Amino acid sequence: MKILVVGGGGREHAIICKLRENKEVETVYALPGNGGMADVAICEPIAADDVENIVRFAKEKQVDYVVVAPDDPLVKGCVDALEAEGFNCFGPRANAAIIEGSKIFSKNLMKKYGIPTAAYEVFTDAEEALLYLEKSSYPTVIKADGLALGKGAVIVNSLEEARETVKSMMLDKQFGESGSRIVVEEFMEGPEVSVLAFTDGKTIKPMVSSMDHKRAHDNDEGLNTGGMGTVAPNPYYTESVAQECMEKIFLPTIRAMEKEGRLFQGCLFFGLMITKDGPKVIEYNCRFGDPETQVVLPLLKSDLLTIMQATKAGTLDQVEVEFEDKNACCVIVASDGYPLSYEKGYEITIPDEVKPNVYVAGAKLVNGKLVNNGGRVLGVVGKGDTLKEAIDTAYAMTHQVHFRNAYYRRDIGKRALQAGGEN
Ligand code: AMP
Ligand code: GLY
């Protein structure tokens, strides 16, 4: 089988490695992929959101299956375009991907169907937003409606900060048209949990839970990033929380989407906050999370391709989705200075025995040598019977990965260890 994976980060690298465990998979193409996955995929420089050229490439190579991993192409209708040409795909169609593509859509959906989330107001006019914010209590949260590279949610601590945020989103168009409409949302408190779930639109099978570490520096200090590390499972996601999420959030969400004529088939990502009033939705993503995928998929025992195919066939109730009863930890190694400015082009060395546990994101091959080429460069994943063992294994390998300006947090999993009572 020839499989095409759209995307080029650590998440896609993890997806490809898992897909390759299926012996039917012979060739994998990645668009654009990156130099760090050259041993598992043929990478071609077509951008992940260049739908027209993705379809052209799929036709040219006569691929048997396409996995569309990132949000941009999903929201733009990449799956619809591929299906129109007869390709089998993993990922939701555009009318369902809107659950991530528009915060206003997802907030209105949750309100209409009684799914727990933060209270909110929608604004299309900056003046009106400012009048409302003058009467708000702080902190409060301002979100751009559309996709904004994960930077579209801002927690503001004062009216002054709120004014600046409204100005940059709505008037200065920091995120382009994504910020022309905004959501102002109640600030919630509690630990966060990420849950990825396979769904065919009727059946939903959650994967092992995980915890992201979004801030750049230890002790959750510094700027927000695309994610500096993850652990799985998340100790805050207890059996009873899981049950409550299934009843009040997961099933109601896929049923709501079906009722709206927007059957969601693919991976639905629930960003949850466990508040004192129970679990609430912070956000939905229409795809696998990054770097959540790098800890979740290594624990998957069942065949990924079979599960993916079942999400479109509507047969997810008949396939097994099982996870190892183990823990995993992913440490992201970034270029020092990320998420602001950083230097690129330094050679990366990874010992051969560590390589199978590394998922590469921001790197490219130059004259046969792998060099850093982005903010988040790679993720190193350790597994263990306990969380502590997983963390120690991940760090022991991380210490063996080198490039000149490598930077990583030293405390990935620390909070989870404390919460889980392991330490
Ligand atoms: P989002 O882009 O919606 O995932 O938000 C990014 C991050 O902002 C989340 O992971 C939370 O840490 C934080 N956040 C978003 N919405 C809220 C909220 N209503 N209350 C508190 N924190 C929030
Ligand atoms: N880790 C969160 C995301 O993928 O958006």
Side-chain angles (χ1 to χ4, degrees):
M1 242 182 127
K2 284 189 271 188
I3 300 193
L4 166 59
V5 174
V6 175
R11 164 184 58 198
E12 287 77 6
H13 195 178
I15 290 172
I16 291 167
C17 290
K18 201 69 196 176
L19 284 171
R20 279 197 164 281
E21 290 179 11
N22 183 316
K23 295 286 167 274
E24 306 263 299
V25 177
E26 290 156 348
T27 309
V28 179
Y29 297 101
L31 302 182
N34 73 67
M37 56 172 88
D39 51 346
V40 288
I42 300 165
C43 304
E44 296 283 344
I46 292 175
D49 65 349
D50 183 353
V51 175
E52 205 180 307
N53 278 310
I54 292 166
V55 176
R56 187 187 50 72
F57 184 88
K59 281 177 26 191
E60 189 184 301
K61 302 293 179 193
Q62 299 190 330
V63 300
D64 303 297
Y65 194 65
V66 187
V67 176
V68 182
D71 48 2
D72 264 333
L74 288 167
V75 171
K76 272 183 153 178
C78 190
V79 167
D80 310 57
L82 286 159
E83 286 180 346
E85 295 291 338
F87 291 102
N88 290 318
C89 302
F90 178 79
R93 298 174 187 133
N95 74 341
I98 192 175
I99 200 165
E100 174 169 6
S102 169
K103 298 255 189 222
I104 297 175
F105 171 84
S106 65
K107 294 299 287 189
N108 288 345
L109 184 87
M110 288 187 270
K111 187 190 254 178
K112 182 169 170 187
Y113 291 92
I115 297 165
T117 188
Y120 70 102
E121 293 289 334
V122 172
F123 296 96
T124 52
D125 180 89
E127 295 275 316
E128 279 177 33
L130 289 171
L131 280 176
Y132 177 82
L133 285 159
E134 275 172 19
K135 287 177 261 152
S136 299
S137 58
Y138 290 88
T140 194
V141 185
I142 302 179
K143 296 183 177 182
D145 175 47
L147 297 180
L149 299 169
K151 296 182 182 120
V154 183
I155 295 168
V156 290
N157 291 300
S158 63
L159 177 58
E160 201 47 43
E161 283 179 33
R163 283 197 180 114
E164 279 166 30
T165 303
V166 169
K167 180 172 178 294
S168 65
M169 280 188 191
M170 298 186 88
L171 304 176
D172 302 342
K173 306 260 180 216
Q174 179 193 5
F175 305 118
E177 282 313 305
S178 283
S180 59
R181 304 193 297 167
I182 61 165
V183 173
V184 177
E185 188 173 280
E186 168 203 6
F187 176 76
M188 303 187 288
E189 282 175 282
E192 290 182 39
V193 178
S194 302
V195 178
L196 318 182
F198 292 108
T199 175
D200 61 5
K202 295 185 187 283
T203 299
I204 185 157
K205 296 200 172 177
M207 299 177 225
V208 61
S209 63
S210 54
M211 181 192 283
D212 196 359
H213 297 67
K214 288 204 162 91
R215 300 296 197 100
H217 303 302
D218 285 6
N219 302 315
D220 294 326
E221 286 168 10
L223 294 171
N224 255 326
T225 70
M228 295 301 293
T230 35
V231 292
N234 184 322
Y236 291 104
Y237 193 70
T238 59
E239 199 57 47
S240 71
V241 169
Q243 219 168 32
E244 198 176 346
C245 287
M246 182 54 90
E247 280 163 27
K248 296 187 179 157
I249 296 173
F250 303 163
L251 283 171
T253 299
I254 60 161
R255 286 180 188 145
M257 290 297 278
E258 187 186 6
K259 256 210 167 118
E260 296 291 313
R262 297 173 181 276
L263 200 69
F264 189 103
Q265 297 180 311
C267 174
L268 185 51
F269 171 130
F270 299 87
L272 304 167
M273 192 170 271
I274 315 303
T275 73
K276 62 176 175 18
D277 303 319
K280 294 189 181 181
V281 177
I282 303 173
E283 62 158 354
Y284 293 116
N285 293 327
C286 64
R287 52 173 175 86
F288 282 97
D290 191 333
E292 283 88 347
T293 303
Q294 290 91 311
V295 284
V296 169
L297 287 188
L299 295 174
L300 179 65
K301 280 201 288 190
S302 315
D303 179 55
L304 179 60
L305 181 60
T306 306
I307 301 170
M308 285 181 158
Q309 289 171 324
T311 63
K312 265 298 148 55
T315 52
L316 189 63
D317 59 335
Q318 293 159 41
V319 309
E320 188 182 80
V321 180
E322 281 198 18
F323 287 84
E324 285 182 81
D325 187 16
K326 285 195 174 181
N327 297 259
C329 171
C330 173
V331 178
I332 295 292
V333 184
S335 305
D336 194 20
Y338 170 76
L340 299 174
S341 61
Y342 47 83
E343 292 172 4
K344 301 183 196 177
Y346 295 122
E347 186 178 353
I348 303 167
T349 55
I350 310 170
D352 281 343
E353 63 278 17
V354 173
K355 256 189 196 142
N357 306 297
V358 173
Y359 299 121
V360 182
K364 67 175 180 182
L365 284 170
V366 177
N367 301 327
K369 286 183 181 160
L370 194 64
V371 302
N372 72 322
N373 188 43
R376 291 188 305 160
V377 178
L378 52 87
V380 185
V381 178
K383 292 205 305 191
D385 288 330
T386 63
L387 179 57
K388 173 112 186 22
E389 210 178 293
I391 294 169
D392 290 346
T393 308
Y395 274 106
M397 292 189 289
T398 303
H399 299 322
Q400 298 176 59
V401 171
H402 299 286
F403 53 94
R404 199 157 117 194
N405 58 341
Y407 165 81
Y408 51 90
R409 276 178 62 161
R410 311 283 158 153
D411 67 341
I412 301 302
K414 190 171 155 195
R415 213 156 22 97
L417 267 186
Q418 288 161 352
E422 248 190 55
N423 205 10

